[in-house]
Amino acid sequence: MTRVILFNKPMNVLSQFTDRGTEGSDRQTLSDFIKVPGVYPAGRLDRDSEGLMILTDNGRLQARISNPKFKQPKTYLAQVEGDATEAQLDQLRRGVDLNDGMTRPAQAVRIDDPGLWPRTPPVRFRKSVPDCWISLTITEGRNRQVRRMTAHVGLPCLRLVRWSVGDWTLDGLAPGQWRDA
């Protein structure tokens, strides 16, 4: 029987079970939260990003979730600096030309503040610069792709939370919590 775990990765947690960084490093990893033998992450999430990670003991499922050729949709909630315009969202919807090539078209909409948990450390706010939230669904998984896409259209990312992967969502999971799917 395949085991699938949904985990809400907090900010500053590495999306791996061991820290191969500098000696004496005390960075948190998945092993600080998940004590289940034989499961491995299906894909990665940057240390400075939060949200849904899927872990499984099934190698085929792991590949299907993480390999871009399967075009598994991943939805991110991004708090961005600036006041997102329809023109900027349209650029994201068409795909943007990054230094590693054109991205696939994304679904991009402006959303109300989703009322997420407080982030530690808090997002920096500047009184003179507005910010807003957008929902962005992509079917690729390039390195820091969502951050690079939003920056490319003039909306630097302040906070990034992966909300869903395929049909799996973060709904009901607090940061650092996990459950079987």
Side-chain angles (χ1 to χ4, degrees):
M1 173 124 177
T2 294
R3 184 151 193 198
V4 176
I5 291 175
L6 307 181
F7 174 58
N8 186 349
K9 185 191 90 62
M11 183 165 168
N12 290 325
V13 173
L14 297 176
S15 61
Q16 57 201 38
F17 280 99
T18 58
D19 183 2
R20 296 186 193 102
T22 57
E23 185 148 339
S25 173
D26 61 352
R27 299 183 296 186
Q28 287 187 302
T29 67
L30 298 177
S31 62
D32 292 306
F33 299 90
I34 301 168
K35 311 283 189 213
V36 177
V39 296
Y40 301 94
R44 301 180 62 85
L45 194 56
D46 295 327
R47 186 171 157 216
D48 57 350
S49 297
E50 309 163 73
L52 183 63
M53 287 196 67
I54 299 172
L55 296 92
T56 183
D57 59 1
N58 182 314
R60 279 192 175 160
L61 179 60
Q62 183 183 22
R64 189 162 195 77
I65 293 167
S66 57
N67 192 322
K69 80 177 182 180
F70 294 110
K71 299 181 180 165
Q72 187 75 256
K74 297 170 184 75
T75 298
Y76 296 82
L77 305 181
Q79 184 179 17
V80 296
E81 191 173 88
D83 197 12
T85 65
E86 272 305 304
Q88 289 168 311
L89 296 173
D90 280 341
Q91 280 183 279
L92 296 169
R93 291 176 190 132
R94 287 191 305 270
V96 296
D97 194 7
L98 302 177
N99 61 357
D100 55 354
M102 279 297 285
T103 65
R104 291 182 187 146
Q107 295 175 23
V109 294
R110 186 172 171 153
I111 61 173
D112 291 334
D113 183 332
L116 300 172
W117 55 88
R119 192 185 81 175
T120 305
V123 173
R124 64 175 165 81
F125 288 104
R126 297 191 308 185
K127 290 180 181 177
S128 61
V129 180
D131 64 79
C132 69
W133 284 88
I134 62 174
S135 172
L136 194 66
T137 301
I138 62 172
T139 56
E140 309 175 88
R142 299 184 200 181
N143 186 40
R144 300 182 72 77
Q145 181 176 344
V146 172
R147 291 178 187 279
R148 292 189 300 138
M149 288 175 73
T150 59
H152 184 84
V153 300
L155 299 168
C157 194
L158 300 170
R159 184 177 184 188
L160 187 61
V161 178
R162 182 161 57 201
W163 185 258
S164 68
V165 175
D167 292 331
W168 292 297
T169 72
L170 204 56
D171 199 28
L173 277 178
Q177 288 186 331
W178 64 270
R179 71 170 175 260
D180 285 293

